[in-house]
Amino acid sequence: SKDQGGNRITFFSTEMNEQAMTRLELESYLRKALKKNEFYLMFQPLIDLETGKIFGSEALIRWNHPKLGLVSPADFIPLAEETGIIQEIGRWVLKTACIQNKKWQSLGNDYLSVAVNVSAYQFQQPGFLKEVKQALAESKLDPQYLTLELTESTMLTNIDYSIRVMRSLQNLGVNVSIDDFGTGYSSLSYLKDLPINTLKIDRSFINNLRVDTYDIAIVKAIITMGHGLEVKVVAEGVETKEQIELLKELNCHYAQGYYIHKPLPATDFEKGLEQTVNI
Ligand code: C2E
Ligand code: CA
Ligand code: CA
Ligand code: CA
């Protein structure tokens, strides 16, 4: 978050030290981070609510800087977007996630899939489609096991162009997902025109699911709509057993959240692949 005082940025690293520096300092660290190998991916399981089996994961980037410690994506992704550095980072994430997933498939998890977050800046670049093709070619991952998560605002900026790119992605065989669904401004009338495979219900609706009857009504409506549009529905931010039970009752397809598992380093995710989560 930005300081009131101008261009100083403050944030907390995992060690909970308050870090203050100029935007330029942070930007210069960020520019070097890829070459210095400071990024890595965590993988958070998505489970199939019908079987309790791991269906795939969402790849989530982490930045471990020698001086700053672990910097949260919420703190550096916005800066990476503003400066365009996200393009290179995004390319790295895509490629690394595809390679990792392919490796897990070759260990016997044939149907495992991976979801990758795509920033608005990255998506709007003319070379984006080519980057996706390159990541698939380099990893030899079958496109049906890759999902790209886009937010509503990414899709709705330059909507005709976005629809064309999304169609091309689907023509490649890649899945397109709307991330944080319900928090953006997409009107329902857009929804039928958007070439999407998955709706990911924002965790703000899932958080209060037990107590808040309005949230229950909204989640129920989104799931019903998802069934009607023949897209898969994922609930993110599932933190309690009650929430999982309600989501099963509502016939939600997939769930992700701390109750099931926090994001894991690749090696730990791999160890957990054989398990069925007891839901
Ligand atoms: P997101 O795409 O909505 O990702 C889900 C975030 O929710 C992750 O935070 C995840 O750790 C967190 N989460 C998962 N389950 C729960 C839960 O049960 N409760 C709560 N409270 N939180 C949960 P994370 O990893 O800090 O990422 C934050 C955001 O940063 C992501 O939100 C995404 O917008 C962005 N991001 C992360 N990795 C990438 C990336 O590789 N590329 C881009 N462009 N953005 C990324
Ligand atoms: Ca996401
Ligand atoms: Ca999300
Ligand atoms: Ca979010």
Side-chain angles (χ1 to χ4, degrees):
S1 60
K2 272 171 207 143
D3 220 357
Q4 308 292 63
N7 67 352
R8 291 189 81 74
I9 299 176
T10 37
F11 58 88
F12 291 92
S13 64
T14 32
E15 292 82 28
M16 293 305 280
N17 325 305
E18 195 174 336
Q19 304 279 354
M21 65 184 71
T22 64
R23 226 184 100 94
L24 274 175
E25 278 177 292
L26 189 62
E27 187 182 328
S28 106
Y29 287 151
L30 198 53
R31 282 197 192 282
K32 294 176 197 140
L34 254 186
K35 278 208 183 82
K36 294 194 164 177
N37 248 324
E38 291 165 3
F39 293 120
Y40 61 96
L41 295 181
M42 296 280 265
F43 295 87
Q44 187 174 30
L46 268 79
I47 58 158
D48 184 325
L49 282 172
E50 219 175 311
T51 61
K53 289 222 162 71
I54 294 173
F55 159 82
S57 68
E58 177 177 7
L60 296 159
I61 195 168
R62 296 292 178 263
W63 179 21
N64 195 1
H65 185 272
K67 210 170 117 194
L68 305 174
L70 207 52
V71 186
S72 150
D75 284 320
F76 72 85
I77 294 284
L79 182 64
E81 286 223 32
E82 283 166 43
T83 52
I85 306 173
I86 193 70
Q87 209 191 338
E88 249 190 290
I89 298 176
R91 202 183 299 138
W92 177 84
V93 171
L94 190 60
K95 183 178 142 184
T96 308
C98 289
I99 290 174
Q100 182 59 261
N101 199 67
K102 178 67 188 184
K103 187 191 156 212
W104 286 328
Q105 286 185 331
S106 40
L107 292 175
N109 310 284
D110 299 11
Y111 304 111
L112 193 73
S113 74
V114 69
V116 173
N117 293 287
V118 176
S119 81
Y121 183 96
Q122 190 187 2
F123 181 77
Q124 308 294 344
Q125 294 304 304
F128 178 64
L129 206 64
K130 203 171 141 198
E131 281 176 19
V132 175
K133 285 184 198 163
Q134 260 164 14
L136 290 168
E138 278 180 58
S139 62
K140 301 192 171 63
L141 180 68
D142 182 334
Q144 66 172 306
Y145 300 110
L146 174 64
T147 297
L148 297 179
E149 297 192 358
L150 309 170
T151 63
E152 289 166 75
S153 67
T154 300
M155 294 176 183
L156 298 183
T157 316
N158 204 345
I159 184 155
D160 294 331
Y161 175 77
S162 297
I163 288 179
R164 280 203 302 280
V165 178
M166 288 158 75
R167 279 228 181 83
S168 308
L169 288 168
Q170 287 189 328
N171 289 339
L172 286 180
V174 171
N175 301 289
V176 179
S177 172
I178 306 189
D179 201 358
D180 305 340
F181 185 73
T183 59
Y185 298 99
S186 67
S187 82
L188 294 181
S189 64
Y190 278 130
L191 213 53
K192 67 174 172 29
D193 298 324
L194 291 174
I196 52 156
N197 306 87
T198 310
L199 282 179
K200 200 162 184 182
I201 309 173
D202 190 70
R203 67 163 182 266
S204 58
F205 299 109
I206 307 297
N207 280 167
N208 303 316
L209 211 51
R210 192 176 65 91
V211 280
D212 193 324
T213 52
Y214 291 117
D215 279 346
I216 294 176
I218 289 171
V219 169
K220 194 174 173 177
I222 296 175
I223 294 169
T224 306
M225 192 174 66
H227 285 295
L229 294 169
E230 295 179 332
V231 299
K232 299 290 185 193
V233 180
V234 184
E236 71 174 359
V238 177
E239 292 184 355
T240 69
K241 191 170 174 59
E242 286 99 324
Q243 289 163 358
I244 272 231
E245 253 141 36
L246 197 51
L247 289 164
K248 279 206 283 192
E249 236 175 78
L250 297 174
N251 291 316
C252 186
H253 300 102
Y254 305 114
Q256 173 185 358
Y258 294 166
Y259 179 75
I260 301 155
H261 247 299
K262 292 207 165 176
L264 298 163
T267 46
D268 294 343
F269 182 85
E270 186 172 314
K271 283 178 207 147
L273 272 172
E274 295 313 306
Q275 297 162 20
T276 302
V277 182
N278 202 2
I279 51 164

